[in-house]
Amino acid sequence: MIVFLIISLSCGNRKNDWYRISKIDSKTFIISEPKSSQNNSCFLIMGSKEAILLDSGTGENKDETFKNIISALTDLPLTVLLSHFHFDHIGTTSEFDCIGIPEIPVIEDKMTVDSLLHLTNTETLAQKTATLKISKLFPVGKDIDLGNRKIKILYTPGHSKESISLIDNENGYLFTGDLVYNGLLLINDCDAYVRSINEIIKNSNSKYKVFGAHGRPEISYERLFKIEEAIENYRSGRDTINPFRQVNFFGTTKSIYKIGDVTFMDGYTDAFNND
């Protein structure tokens, strides 16, 4: 059960209701942006010594800094860990002092000697490119100790080539970023996508709570299997499966597929191929 907090955040005398803050437990919060273009959520995960903020939102709200929102929830040393680099996940990254990335070659190979990470249009999924100053590298598949709380990064490409998920085995939480969420799924590599869902299932069980980055944050664990089955069926019969409909996606026409109650787009990053 997620408890919704009513928090009054003021900018002058004006109540700011852009953010919705939900308490999973006393050390774990969802910070959602229901009024944003992407209806997305970030996750604050705290130990006794430090905290991780998984993603930094859209940056669309200009009336309140996201850093102020997080500072109202914790005064622990904080690192922003990005699940991937799309615009709606890195929007306020520049407000924070410490930015972390996972130790995976597809990201590390792009870093400069002065720890700068230059992101292309395809990586940000936006007209603007971005540059991040990286402060921390986190191991993949190994415990990260936040102080009386350990989390682990799983490398879960498929939505994007650098996508990660977080797992908290002690509390039974999974944070899947844009790999799995409630809504239209954007898939860039079906083979990697299925492998990543299987990796999540292998490292968890039906007692785990799953949280995605868009729409209603909590996802039923059973939906992992539904999505995996749908994409497997699509992979094996994609030549005979007709699109559910077509949409304009950032100026390009894309096909939407629907198998059961799973809707998804196969291939989307070429909408921004002017790297």
Side-chain angles (χ1 to χ4, degrees):
M1 179 179 179
I2 299 174
V3 178
F4 292 96
L5 303 180
I6 300 174
I7 297 179
S8 295
L9 298 167
S10 298
C11 182
N13 294 320
R14 184 191 54 77
K15 182 179 178 182
N16 184 339
D17 59 355
W18 179 271
Y19 297 103
R20 184 175 65 190
I21 301 173
S22 312
K23 180 180 178 181
I24 301 174
D25 62 38
S26 62
K27 296 289 186 179
T28 315
F29 292 86
I30 306 170
I31 305 94
S32 299
E33 298 180 80
K35 293 186 176 182
S36 71
S37 64
Q38 307 302 310
N39 190 15
N40 58 307
S41 295
C42 305
F43 301 88
L44 179 62
I45 304 164
M46 295 178 283
S48 61
K49 295 181 179 179
E50 57 184 300
I52 291 287
L53 176 63
L54 184 63
D55 295 329
S56 68
T58 64
E60 293 174 355
N61 179 26
K62 306 305 180 183
D63 295 324
E64 179 80 27
T65 67
F66 194 51
K67 186 176 182 179
N68 284 348
I69 303 299
I70 302 304
S71 296
L73 296 172
T74 184
D75 58 2
L76 289 168
L78 180 92
T79 301
V80 176
L81 175 59
L82 300 170
S83 66
H84 61 299
F85 302 131
H86 289 169
F87 70 94
D88 50 329
H89 295 257
I90 66 170
T92 69
T93 303
S94 61
E95 296 178 12
F96 297 90
D97 297 326
C98 188
I99 310 302
I101 58 171
E103 291 178 327
I104 53 178
V106 71
I107 300 177
E108 289 183 289
D109 291 349
K110 288 176 57 67
M111 283 182 59
T112 65
V113 293
D114 50 355
S115 299
L116 295 178
L117 188 62
H118 299 290
L119 303 176
T120 66
N121 301 88
T122 302
E123 289 165 323
T124 63
L125 211 66
Q127 294 294 344
K128 292 182 179 180
T129 59
T131 298
L132 305 177
K133 176 68 173 180
I134 305 303
S135 305
K136 279 189 179 181
L137 295 177
F138 289 100
V140 174
K142 297 180 180 179
D143 286 338
I144 300 168
D145 193 348
L146 303 178
N148 298 312
R149 183 179 193 177
K150 294 177 180 178
I151 61 171
K152 188 179 294 184
I153 295 173
L154 301 179
Y155 179 39
T156 53
H159 170 69
S160 70
K161 60 185 179 181
E162 69 277 351
S163 289
I164 61 167
S165 300
L166 293 185
I167 185 166
D168 178 342
N169 287 310
E170 183 177 347
N171 293 295
Y173 300 150
L174 282 163
F175 304 93
T176 58
D178 275 7
L179 184 76
V180 176
Y181 52 85
N182 289 305
L184 172 68
L185 301 171
L186 300 184
I187 301 174
N188 195 48
D189 183 333
C190 283
D191 294 342
Y193 190 91
V194 170
R195 287 195 300 270
S196 293
I197 290 186
N198 287 330
E199 179 72 7
I200 286 174
I201 292 170
K202 183 180 74 175
N203 283 276
S204 61
N205 59 55
S206 60
K207 294 181 180 180
Y208 279 64
K209 292 183 178 181
V210 186
F211 300 96
H214 294 280
R216 180 171 49 84
E218 189 164 3
I219 308 157
S220 69
Y221 192 85
E222 292 73 22
R223 187 148 184 83
L224 296 175
F225 295 95
K226 287 186 177 181
I227 294 173
E228 190 270 345
E229 181 181 12
I231 305 307
E232 279 282 29
N233 289 340
Y234 171 74
R235 285 203 306 169
S236 61
R238 71 176 75 197
D239 293 336
T240 60
I241 296 176
N242 294 320
F244 171 61
R245 67 175 185 271
Q246 291 189 315
V247 298
N248 185 305
F249 183 76
F250 292 102
T252 63
T253 300
K254 293 294 180 184
S255 295
I256 305 297
Y257 296 89
K258 184 175 183 180
I259 298 178
D261 63 351
V262 178
T263 55
F264 60 94
M265 181 187 298
D266 176 17
Y268 62 91
T269 58
D270 58 341
F272 293 94
N273 58 4
N274 56 328
D275 296 350

